């Protein structure tokens, strides 16, 4: 799998940002991003000239728009054309999401537990979703040093609750990037995976997020595969129930922690990290891992980790450790699913 570093929530002066698209692209390239999504509030006008700007700075610019209303903000990405947000009713957001889908896009809840009005109009999610299965993803980390923020912890819990209900919803991070201002706080990255040998395109990145081939981190790239019966299943994959028969053998997890991604653009103190495998059954494995003293180009691979026997709906990996003298979640994967 080829992993691309993405920033999926940005703004320009076409809404409330104070940067041009070119300034945004230049800043993203300096931070080692392979792709950004421009998600201005209720407009797609800022995307004019995106292809030439993307070529100039060597990154992809995904088409998007943030539906901004009194009842919540919803990030839409991959739209072929403008989807009219004004038709969104508090009790009919499902229809709005379906309109986005008809135009080839995906829709995600933006910062659903950020403080709302009057501090931030509509920032707190109040839409009454009748069918959560139409939601493609939840932005569980928003802003800088995202994992320690209370509102993001609530969003992460919401995502976990929906997974426990049997829904297959992806999770992302988003800086909600408005200005080219310096910060020394840790930045989070959403990595989207496309098969090796395939050229990155907007459609393939959108499909990766739609299908859950995503991992989020403030540092190293954490990835997970599950093996069973001689087959491997990556992030977003669904292991069909016949493969869980007793004669298929033991379910094993395989973890890779790649410290070479965006080298020099983030730092963590030398330490013992805590690796966790968790599912709707709870914590399935907890172990201490140490970054090897070898080359930064060599990922840390943990193969053949046993997984609890029993029926489950999903399994994901988390990496915990010290960040700025705070014990925090550093990285997590989207799940592998089980029928």
């Amino acid at each position: 799998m080829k992993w691309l570093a993405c920033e999926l929530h940005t703004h320009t002066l076409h809404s409330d940002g104070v940067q041009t698209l070119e300034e945004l692209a230049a800043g993203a390239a300096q931070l080692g991003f392979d792709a950004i999504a421009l998600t201005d509030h209720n407009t797609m006008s800022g995307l004019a000239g995106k292809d030439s700007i993307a070529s100039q700075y060597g990154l992809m610019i995904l088409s998007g728009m943030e539906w901004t209303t009194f009842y919540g903000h919803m990030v839409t990405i991959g739209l072929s054309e403008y989807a009219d947000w004004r038709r969104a009713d508090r009790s009919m957001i499902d229809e709005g999401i379906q309109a986005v889908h008809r135009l080839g896009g995906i829709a995600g809840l933006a910062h659903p537990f950020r403080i709302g009005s009057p501090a931030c109009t509509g920032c707190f999610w109040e839409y009454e979703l009748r069918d959560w299965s139409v939601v493609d993803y939840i932005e569980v980390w928003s802003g800088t040093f995202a994992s320690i923020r209370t509102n993001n912890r609530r969003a992460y819990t919401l995502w976990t609750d929906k997974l426990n209900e049997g829904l297959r919803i992806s999770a992302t991070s988003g800086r909600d990037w408005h200005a080219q201002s310096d910060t020394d706080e840790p930045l989070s990255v959403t990595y989207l995976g496309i098969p090796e040998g395939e050229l990155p395109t907007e459609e393939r990145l959108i499909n990766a997020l739609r299908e859950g081939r995503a991992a989020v981190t403030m540092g190293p790239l954490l990835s997970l595969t599950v093996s069973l019966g001689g087959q491997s299943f990556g992030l977003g994959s669904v292991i069909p129930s016949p493969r869980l028969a007793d004669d298929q053998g033991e379910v094993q997890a395989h973890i890779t922690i790649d410290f070479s991604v965006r080298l020099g653009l983030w730092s963590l103190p030398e330490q013992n990290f805590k690796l966790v495998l968790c599912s709707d059954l709870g914590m399935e494995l907890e172990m201490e891992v140490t970054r090897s003293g070898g080359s930064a180009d060599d990922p840390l691979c943990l193969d053949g980790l046993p997984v609890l026997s029993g029926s489950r709906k999903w399994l994901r990996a988390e990496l915990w450790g010290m960040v700025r003298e705070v014990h925090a979640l550093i990285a997590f994967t989207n799940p592998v699913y089980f029928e």
Side-chain angles (χ1 to χ4, degrees):
M1 193 68 67
K2 180 178 181 180
W3 295 98
L4 284 82
C6 303
E7 170 52 64
L8 300 176
H9 191 160
T10 70
H11 297 279
T12 69
L13 47 74
H14 282 255
S15 59
D16 61 343
V18 290
Q19 56 191 342
T20 65
L21 182 57
E22 184 170 353
E23 290 169 337
L24 172 62
Q30 288 181 341
L31 291 174
F33 286 102
D34 301 303
I36 58 172
L38 179 58
T39 55
D40 274 323
H41 297 284
N42 297 342
T43 180
M44 298 178 72
S45 61
L47 289 161
K50 78 178 182 72
D51 291 339
S52 61
I53 293 173
S55 177
Q56 179 182 353
Y57 290 98
L59 80 171
M60 299 176 62
I61 300 177
L62 310 180
S63 302
M65 184 175 76
E66 184 175 5
W67 287 32
T68 308
T69 74
F70 291 113
Y71 306 120
H73 294 190
M74 183 173 75
V75 176
T76 64
I77 307 176
L79 294 159
S80 61
E81 59 185 85
Y82 184 88
D84 195 346
W85 59 274
R86 292 170 298 177
R87 298 181 181 179
D89 181 87
R90 183 171 186 171
S91 62
M92 298 178 63
I93 191 62
D94 309 60
E95 284 82 350
I97 295 174
Q98 289 164 356
V100 171
H101 290 167
R102 286 193 294 272
L103 294 171
I106 56 177
L109 279 60
H111 45 66
F113 292 102
R114 185 181 296 177
I115 188 171
S117 301
C120 180
T121 301
C123 285
F124 188 90
W125 186 267
E126 296 182 54
Y127 277 113
E128 299 166 359
L129 271 160
R130 299 192 303 273
D131 180 7
W132 273 87
S133 69
V134 301
V135 175
D136 297 293
Y137 69 95
I138 300 173
E139 185 183 82
V140 298
W141 281 6
S142 176
T144 57
F145 207 166
S147 69
I148 68 168
R149 297 176 182 265
T150 300
N151 63 307
N152 290 331
R153 290 174 178 167
R154 293 182 68 187
Y156 197 82
T157 298
L158 170 67
W159 174 51
T160 302
D161 290 343
K162 294 306 173 184
L163 295 178
N164 289 343
E165 291 172 15
L167 294 163
R168 294 168 184 168
I169 299 176
S170 300
T172 68
S173 66
R175 182 174 174 178
D176 205 353
W177 196 1
H178 285 74
Q180 288 299 309
S181 54
D182 292 333
T183 179
D184 62 355
E185 291 194 334
L187 302 178
S188 53
V189 178
T190 301
Y191 282 90
L192 299 179
I194 62 173
E196 290 286 354
E198 291 190 0
L199 291 176
T201 64
E202 180 167 354
E203 182 180 6
R204 284 172 178 154
L205 285 181
I206 297 303
N207 282 337
L209 182 49
R210 180 186 288 118
E211 296 169 8
R213 298 195 304 274
V216 177
T217 184
M218 294 190 294
L221 170 60
L222 179 67
S223 59
L224 163 71
T225 60
V226 172
S227 63
L228 177 65
Q231 281 193 267
S232 293
F233 300 86
L235 300 183
S237 297
V238 180
I239 301 177
S241 53
R243 298 211 59 82
L244 299 179
D246 292 339
D247 60 358
Q248 293 296 331
E250 184 182 36
V251 179
Q252 293 185 328
H254 308 270
I255 304 289
T256 300
I257 308 173
D258 188 350
F259 290 90
S260 69
V261 294
R262 298 176 61 249
L263 198 60
L265 296 173
W266 57 271
S267 64
L268 291 170
E270 290 294 328
Q271 60 183 293
N272 294 329
F273 299 96
K274 182 175 71 172
L275 176 68
V276 173
L277 288 177
C278 55
S279 73
D280 52 299
L281 301 179
M283 185 182 296
E284 299 207 17
L285 180 145
E286 179 180 356
M287 62 182 297
E288 191 174 275
V289 296
T290 304
R291 181 177 179 179
S292 66
S295 169
D297 294 330
D298 297 328
L300 176 60
C301 297
L302 304 167
D303 291 319
L305 302 177
V307 176
L308 292 176
S309 60
S311 175
R312 66 180 59 74
K313 297 175 181 176
W314 57 271
L315 181 76
R316 72 172 178 235
E318 299 178 345
L319 188 70
W320 292 77
M322 297 300 296
V323 185
R324 301 293 176 88
E325 300 183 350
V326 177
H327 184 257
L329 180 60
I330 296 170
F332 64 89
T333 71
N334 273 258
V336 175
Y337 296 100
F338 297 77
E339 283 191 344

